[in-house]
Amino acid sequence: MSVLIVCPGKDPENWEKALKNQHPGMNVYVYPEDHDKEEVEFALTWNHPRGLFKNYPNLKVIASMGAGVDHILSDDALPEGIQITKVVDDTLTEDMGDFVLSQVMNHIRGLHHYVKAQKEKKWEKFQYKRPQDTKVGIMGLGVLGNEVADKLHKNFFQVYGWSRTEKSCDHVTSFHGKDQLEEFLNNSEILVCLLPLTEETENILNADLFDMLPEGAYVINVARGEHLVEHDLMEMIDNGHLSGASLDVFREEPLPEEHPFWDHEKINITPHIASLTKPESVAGQIAENYDRMKDEEPLKNKVEQEKGY
Ligand code: NAP
Ligand code: GLV
């Protein structure tokens, strides 16, 4: 019985170390090193080569190295009956809260103006908004969306949220489903996307949706690049309806050098670092699920594959 780590483009070494620290008896292979496919029952992965897992006749669980599982579910050739898990981790969650708070603060205080002004040696003051006077809408009120809502509320922002099913939370004015999307958007001066990537949410950040935001709204996408119709965003910023965007995720990563986002002065780019999984922080839950699989117990953080998240 073995675990296979598959994460092309990422360093697997820290994952291997962290797993072995948690579970000294665990036999771990790192793809593509030579290994017996029949032995592998559990895979830990990020962006595996499409179709790879169908070659593992005894594979029972595929664990995502992150909170998102779109990189797994988008593979049409997953083995029948496979169980999929995601990461739910306090560090990952808190880091997302900090990142979004920093982007929201950066926007309302207009800090990007001063980066430019300093380069030009200009002593120039800009007006700013206060959190109390700012409405932030969060799309996706799951593990991460809730943390973001909480941090924004604690920092005196007016918080709005949108999810698939109804929620009730004292400090978030909540909306759900397609019917309530427009009202939610009408209130979102800053829009934060923290949805999972599914058939329903792909391309959701498009011109029709931006149109429903207040004039001058700002967009923060920390979910997936495929949520955003890039051309629509550029157009809505260039025609003045949106004031700008902070983008952490992209359709193609790394973002190609020739991409127009790089040079857009109203688009703030970060390289998918809003919240990074720390192997030592999540190895415990992966090892626990490995034992649960062996003991035929229900897995923790299991993904509902029909829902797509
Ligand atoms: P989660 O706990 O599964 O929450 C997902 C939320 O989205 C839920 O509130 C869900 O509604 C809502 N939702 C799903 N489909 C919807 C739809 N069609 N309409 C309205 N709401 C919908 O996910 P999470 O752990 O918070 O993670 C969210 C995403 O963040 C991940 O999938 C990943 O892509 C991204 N992420 C990015 C980074 C980064 O560094 N940039 C790091 C970690 C994660 P219900 O509550 O009603 O089900
Ligand atoms: C990162 O994008 C994650 O899904 O954890």
Side-chain angles (χ1 to χ4, degrees), residues 46 66-68 92 224 272 277:
W46 190 261
L92 185 87
R224 285 291 180 265
H272 203 146
T277 316

Side-chain angles (χ1 to χ4, degrees), residues 48-307:
H48 67 277
R50 308 294 82 180
L52 178 79
F53 293 130
K54 68 172 189 279
N55 305 317
Y56 290 78
N58 297 313
L59 189 64
K60 295 188 178 65
V61 178
I62 303 176
S64 171
M65 286 181 171
V69 289
D70 46 290
H71 58 105
I72 300 172
L73 292 175
S74 57
D75 184 343
D76 300 331
L78 292 176
E80 285 275 304
I82 196 86
Q83 303 190 76
I84 297 172
T85 63
K86 61 173 271 189
V87 163
V88 177
D89 173 63
D90 286 350
T91 306
L92 185 87
T93 305
E94 286 163 18
D95 289 357
M96 180 58 83
D98 291 346
F99 183 81
V100 173
L101 177 63
S102 69
Q103 293 300 305
V104 168
M105 289 302 296
N106 185 18
H107 173 64
I108 62 167
R109 296 303 306 241
L111 297 184
H112 62 284
H113 291 309
Y114 301 105
V115 175
K116 188 164 174 270
Q118 183 174 349
K119 277 196 193 125
E120 295 165 3
K121 300 187 178 165
K122 274 194 189 155
W123 185 267
E124 202 175 355
K125 300 187 188 196
F126 296 90
Q127 289 303 313
Y128 57 84
K129 251 183 121 170
R130 304 192 70 223
Q132 291 83 341
D133 305 324
T134 308
K135 296 176 178 176
V136 186
I138 304 165
M139 300 180 86
L141 284 176
V143 178
L144 304 180
N146 259 305
E147 170 75 5
V148 168
D150 212 40
K151 275 212 163 117
L152 290 171
H153 168 71
K154 286 185 178 134
N155 284 276
F156 311 111
F157 287 92
Q158 299 175 43
V159 186
Y160 292 74
W162 183 69
S163 49
R164 204 173 51 81
T165 56
E166 192 169 356
K167 306 275 178 243
S168 142
C169 170
D170 283 349
H171 55 264
V172 182
T173 308
S174 306
F175 299 88
H176 66 279
K178 285 189 182 136
D179 293 349
Q180 297 185 4
L181 179 61
E182 181 163 4
E183 199 182 344
F184 161 76
L185 292 168
N186 289 171
N187 281 290
S188 300
E189 294 167 326
I190 299 177
L191 181 72
V192 179
C193 181
L194 262 170
L195 291 165
L197 180 64
T198 65
E199 269 174 35
E200 279 187 30
T201 66
E202 187 169 2
N203 297 323
I204 193 166
L205 301 176
N206 58 40
D208 291 341
L209 178 142
F210 296 143
D211 242 346
M212 293 186 248
L213 293 171
E215 210 54 39
Y218 188 75
V219 174
I220 298 177
N221 187 17
V222 277
R224 285 291 180 265
E226 291 86 345
H227 286 123
L228 176 68
V229 180
E230 297 184 342
H231 170 264
D232 288 4
L233 177 79
M234 298 270 284
E235 206 164 86
M236 292 300 236
I237 294 177
D238 292 340
N239 72 18
H241 179 66
L242 297 177
S243 56
S246 158
L247 307 176
D248 183 58
V249 287
F250 302 89
R251 284 177 183 268
E252 190 179 347
E253 295 181 3
L255 186 65
E257 232 175 84
E258 64 282 3
H259 200 288
F261 283 169
W262 282 116
D263 293 320
H264 202 296
E265 61 171 17
K266 293 186 175 164
I267 295 179
N268 192 19
I269 290 172
T270 47
H272 203 146
I273 48 72
S275 185
L276 299 171
T277 316
K278 315 277 180 298
E280 63 282 10
S281 181
V282 301
Q285 63 185 263
I286 305 290
E288 182 180 345
N289 267 343
Y290 172 76
D291 286 337
R292 284 173 171 266
M293 173 202 73
K294 282 199 300 189
D295 298 342
E296 297 185 2
E297 281 175 21
L299 302 182
K300 287 196 168 164
N301 308 327
K302 197 173 148 190
V303 168
E304 289 182 48
Q305 292 181 46
E306 329 65 60
K307 280 200 318 196

